[in-house]
C-alpha cells in the first residue's frame, strides 16, 4: 500500500520557519519526482517546489529564496524548509510523488498538513 505522510505543519509567527517532511512508503522512492503543493482557502492547489530523482530543483516565484526542497532517498523522505514565512503562506501543504516509466505515469498524494502563519 502506497502512503505519503506529511508532518511538521503548525502555527508560526510571520518571519518564522518550519520544516515539513513527507515520508513515503510502498514506492521505489528514488525513482519518483517529488513536489510540494499548497492550497489556501478558496484558492486552487498550486505547485511550489519540486525535486527530481536526480536532485534538480525548481520553485514557484512566490517561494523562491525562502523555501528549500530536499530529499533523502535513504529515508524515503522529502523535506520543505520554509523560512521568512508570511501570512500569505498560510495553506494546507501537500506532497506529491510522480514517476514516469514505460508502463505509464504513477502519481500519489499525501493527505496534507496545515501551515498557519499569524501573529
Amino acid at each position: 500500500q502506497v502512503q505519503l505522510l506529511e508532518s511538521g505543519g503548525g502555527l508560526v509567527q510571520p518571519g518564522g520557519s518550519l520544516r515539513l517532511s513527507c515520508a513515503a512508503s510502498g514506492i521505489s522512492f528514488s525513482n519518483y519526482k517529488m513536489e510540494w503543493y499548497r492550497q489556501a482557502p478558496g484558492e486552487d492547489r498550486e505547485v511550489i517546489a519540486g525535486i527530481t530523482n536526480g536532485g534538480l530543483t525548481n520553485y514557484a516565484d512566490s517561494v523562491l529564496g525562502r523555501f528549500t526542497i530536499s530529499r533523502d532517498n535513504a529515508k524515503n523522505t522529502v523535506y520543505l524548509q520554509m523560512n521568512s514565512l508570511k501570512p500569505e503562506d498560510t495553506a494546507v501543504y501537500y506532497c506529491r510523488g510522480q514517476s514516469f516509466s514505460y508502463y505509464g505515469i504513477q502519481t500519489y498524494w499525501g493527505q496534507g498538513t496545515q501551515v498557519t502563519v499569524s501573529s
Side-chain angles (χ1 to χ4, degrees):
Q1 181 179 358
V2 177
Q3 187 174 27
L4 300 181
L5 185 61
E6 299 101 334
S7 62
L11 174 64
V12 63
Q13 291 187 343
S17 297
L18 282 175
R19 189 176 82 153
L20 305 183
S21 300
C22 172
S25 59
I27 61 173
S28 296
F29 180 78
S30 61
N31 293 333
Y32 277 70
K33 177 180 181 179
M34 300 301 297
E35 295 172 302
W36 285 98
Y37 284 70
R38 68 184 180 187
Q39 187 168 21
E43 302 288 334
D44 292 335
R45 192 173 296 188
E46 61 171 347
V47 58
I48 57 170
I51 184 167
T52 68
N53 54 354
L56 297 177
T57 60
N58 63 279
Y59 299 92
D61 288 345
S62 58
V63 306
L64 186 63
R66 299 188 299 123
F67 291 9
T68 302
I69 188 171
S70 61
R71 66 190 297 158
D72 185 338
N73 289 340
K75 296 182 178 180
N76 289 355
T77 301
V78 61
Y79 304 97
L80 186 68
Q81 177 67 43
M82 305 187 295
N83 299 328
S84 303
L85 283 162
K86 306 174 182 180
E88 52 263 43
D89 294 318
T90 295
V92 179
Y93 284 69
Y94 300 88
C95 68
R96 185 181 88 160
Q98 193 168 60
S99 72
F100 305 85
S101 72
Y102 173 83
Y103 303 102
I105 301 172
Q106 292 181 311
T107 303
Y108 300 102
W109 290 90
Q111 85 291 343
T113 185
Q114 176 71 46
V115 172
T116 302
V117 184
S118 175
S119 54

